[in-house]
Amino acid sequence: MVSDYKDAGVDLEKLRGIHRDIASMISSTYRRTVLGAGHYSGVVEINGLKLAIHVDGVGTKVLLARKAGKYRSVGIDCVAMNVNDLISIGARPIAIVDYIAMEQPSDDVISEIVQGLVQGAKESDADIVGGETAAMKDVVNGFDISCTALGVVEKLKTGEEVSPGDVLIGLASNGVHANGYSLIRKLLNEGKLSWKDWEEELLKPTRIYVKPVMEVLDLIKAAGHVTGGSFTKLRRITSYSLELTLPDPPSIFKAIEQAGVSHEEMHRVFNMGVGMVLFVDRSYAEEVLRKLNPYVPSQIIGEVKDSPGQIKITTYKSQFLYL
């Protein structure tokens, strides 16, 4: 039996509909808003200063951290999921607050999580300015973690400047990152994917792209963090057609597919080895790559085409995959 995200309890289409409804309701509050719901981060302007804000958690990956008794990586994950979205609209991260909700307080668990938060914040050049730890027996089973991150914007990068002929540069992921774990856990629980073989890989923290993206920010037109929904997230940036040719993915993705997920579903759910996509004028591509590669393996993976709507993907296994 082939597994998919919906079978695992995550209906992406339903979630998108809920997000649209929420965006419609909250838009009535906009007074200082420059960029509202629907992009990677919200932006408000106060006395000429544009501030970006984003909130996110780690999702059901925390259950695998709990299974392994290893918590530092999810602290890094929590920072990464926020700061990577901030830089996707051109914001420089400056401050973070965290929220940890626990069934029972545990000094050891909190210490490991905070060590990860600190590591992630330092890598992002952001200050952790506070947070909240709550004991919530009868509400929380185990623990959950989220962060809110604040950034400063000098020039918004929302995709308005993207045009046909621009190239797409893919920055390598560190593996699965922090998306698709409801599906992964389903495969683990059914014995289709081996926890013993893949524990270390599945607990790798999300790669933080702040330093490389800040290095090339003036040379790019837009950036897209590849998370839940995979490459469909690039629709936030442009309605032009995109043609992608993806590199051979890390072995963990092939293992997940072999455990019972269709090739198409893999590319709807997971990053497939590409954690961030930059939209760049072709004339700057060589310079951008030269500056990125000392930080993270990067390569041209596609192009913007002069037609509406379609994302066409060529993979290691299938000639074309239409999303």
Side-chain angles (χ1 to χ4, degrees), residues 143-317:
F143 76 96
D144 195 18
I145 178 173
S146 64
C147 287
T148 299
L150 184 70
V152 174
V153 181
E154 292 184 6
K155 182 180 179 182
L156 274 174
K157 303 277 184 175
T158 60
E160 292 179 2
E161 296 179 356
V162 169
S163 60
D166 290 342
V167 298
L168 280 64
I169 293 178
L171 283 64
S173 71
N174 194 34
V176 181
H177 286 180
N179 292 101
Y181 276 83
S182 293
L183 179 50
I184 288 169
R185 286 175 46 252
K186 181 176 186 291
L187 298 174
L188 289 169
N189 292 338
E190 293 175 350
K192 296 176 181 177
L193 187 68
S194 168
W195 174 244
K196 180 180 178 181
D197 292 342
W198 296 105
E199 174 185 341
E200 183 177 352
E201 189 69 34
L202 291 172
L203 290 178
K204 278 186 178 179
T206 303
R207 176 167 268 151
I208 293 173
Y209 295 101
V210 173
K211 290 179 179 177
V213 172
M214 290 296 104
E215 187 74 21
V216 299
L217 190 61
D218 291 340
L219 298 173
I220 69 174
K221 294 185 176 183
H225 187 200
V226 182
T227 57
S230 190
F231 299 99
T232 61
K233 283 283 181 72
L234 301 181
R235 277 283 158 261
R236 295 177 174 183
I237 293 169
T238 183
S239 59
Y240 283 119
S241 286
L242 306 176
E243 290 190 2
L244 306 178
T245 300
L246 299 182
D248 200 31
S251 55
I252 180 60
F253 296 106
K254 293 181 179 179
I256 294 168
E257 183 173 340
Q258 289 167 4
V261 181
S262 72
H263 194 59
E264 182 173 352
E265 185 71 2
M266 291 295 299
H267 290 79
R268 292 187 189 276
V269 176
F270 299 104
N271 68 62
M272 301 306 290
V274 179
M276 180 74 71
V277 176
L278 305 183
F279 290 70
V280 182
D281 187 292
R282 187 176 294 275
S283 63
Y284 293 122
E286 186 176 334
E287 182 179 358
V288 169
L289 287 170
R290 186 171 64 249
K291 290 186 174 184
L292 289 174
N293 275 299
Y295 293 97
V296 56
S298 306
Q299 60 185 297
I300 294 174
I301 62 167
E303 184 178 358
V304 180
K305 294 294 186 179
D306 189 11
S307 57
Q310 193 176 65
I311 299 177
K312 186 165 69 174
I313 297 178
T314 301
T315 75
Y316 74 101
K317 186 176 179 180

Side-chain angles (χ1 to χ4, degrees), residues 41-62:
S41 301
V43 179
V44 295
E45 186 169 357
I46 303 173
N47 296 329
L49 180 65
K50 291 185 178 67
L51 297 174
I53 190 166
H54 185 72
V55 61
D56 206 348
V58 182
T60 60
K61 188 175 181 178
V62 298

